[in-house]
Amino acid sequence: MRSFDAVIIGAGAAGLMCGIEAAKRGRKVVVIDHARAPAEKIRISGGGRCNFTHLEAAPKHYLSQNPHFCKSALKRFGPWDFLDRVIAHHIPYHHKTEGQLFCDNSAKDIIDMLLGDLRAHGGELWLQSPVQGLDQTPQGFRLSLPDGVIETTKLVLATGGLSIPKMGATGFAYEVAQRFGHGLITPRAGLVPFTLGGQKLDYISGLSGVSLQARARIGKTMFEDGFLFTHRGLSGPAMLQISSFWTPGQTVEIDLLPGTDALAVLKERRQSTPRQHIGNVLPDLVPTRLSERILEVTIIAPETRIADLSDKRLSALTALMQPWALIPDGTEGYRTAEVTVGGVDTTQVSSQTMESQLCPGLFIIGEALDVTGWLGGYNFQWAWSSGWAAGQAL
Ligand code: FDA
């Protein structure tokens, strides 16, 4: 039977970082994964270019029942620390928006860097190795794998959340953590498109592909970014961001003209160009296909002169843009969600080392924990930071 100082289950962003750090410190480490290839989410992330961090990543960019939990790890291994590694490996990168960093070439550059580092420090990687049995022993843990039984003193759960089951996502970390007494903050899909049904879906039919800049708000939480109509509902960065804060039944307020008072603009146009047709005025505010749909829904002929529209009718037009308040029917769920909101409750996990306070020797890192970042590189940064922190303690 082979024995290790540390076995890390999950060869994703968090698990690989953790393995590298522990191996660097001379620990005998193996990272195991049930998938055929490691780091599949890194591979597909950021449209294939991996938005690997955000230089401004700070605790305020994370959702958690325990908002202080992420502070220590983010401080000790922050975005600049990860960027240093990217630079040291000569990986070309660029800012998409200020601080939001992507690879110039391919996400594969990041995967190669991580696998190369793990190998260079003597860490092993075993793929297609599902855990068939897990027992606690006086020295640590015993794991049954298809190729035999292994023992370890430290065990790290790095199997991520539930999003994209087709790529091998499982609730493994949740099950094991619960078995050792940890609570679970009910997981739900985050950074996910909304779905609409009934009349709301009828309203957006034919708008699929129309995009614009919008502001999405739930209560005091607000994001201004790209917005996209889809065949099934609403997407784009602004909607993905707000989806992480949404619970079924809640109203989302969408401003399709952030920074512009649409009603004031239309009233001004009624004064300055009274003979203009509303069908020619509205496309100055929103994309043509959307303006046509708004006129259809409000039963206003496009040839209507703007002078002939009362305040009430202009208000009916702008109500579909500003704020457009709607209750989504649901989300596309884990099938397309970029993250899982919720996860293993952090209250009995050390924020310094990610070690369980209920089961010494057990560590939980990455997305499996109840720490969820905004869209923009924050989730990988949490994976790097939490993986690094655990790696120092193995
Ligand atoms: P991750 O899910 O990466 O890794 C878990 C590993 O565990 C996987 O290799 C899996 O096969 C393995 N595993 C699962 N169950 C197992 C079991 N029972 N036994 C053995 N192994 C098991 N974030 C960001 O910051 N920037 C971005 O650009 C993107 N883009 C993006 C695009 C898409 C399409 C998705 C789905 C997600 C993103 N994300 C992102 C989010 C980011 O990918 C995510 O937060 C991190 O990958 C989480 O890293 P972890 O290592 O915790 O889990």
Side-chain angles (χ1 to χ4, degrees), residues 10 12-14 33-34 44-46 51 159 168 170 172 338 366-367 377 379-380:
D33 202 297
H34 66 169
I44 61 159
S45 66
N51 175 197
T159 52
T170 68
F172 183 84
E338 282 199 16
E367 201 181 310
N379 282 298
F380 279 134

Side-chain angles (χ1 to χ4, degrees), residues 57-93:
K60 68 176 180 185
H61 300 114
Y62 294 88
L63 287 81
S64 174
Q65 296 287 307
N66 182 5
H68 300 296
F69 182 79
C70 63
K71 287 182 177 170
S72 166
L74 285 174
K75 197 165 169 195
R76 286 160 63 221
F77 188 84
W80 292 94
D81 298 307
F82 191 76
L83 180 58
D84 280 348
R85 295 195 183 192
V86 169
I87 293 169
H89 281 76
H90 309 290
I91 296 175
Y93 69 93

Side-chain angles (χ1 to χ4, degrees), residues 5 21 52 125 166 170 192 202 222 263 285 323 325 358 379 383:
D5 297 322
E21 290 307 305
F52 56 83
L125 172 65
K166 241 170 68 183
T170 68
V192 62
D202 289 345
M222 188 177 76
L263 187 58
L285 293 174
L358 301 174
N379 282 298

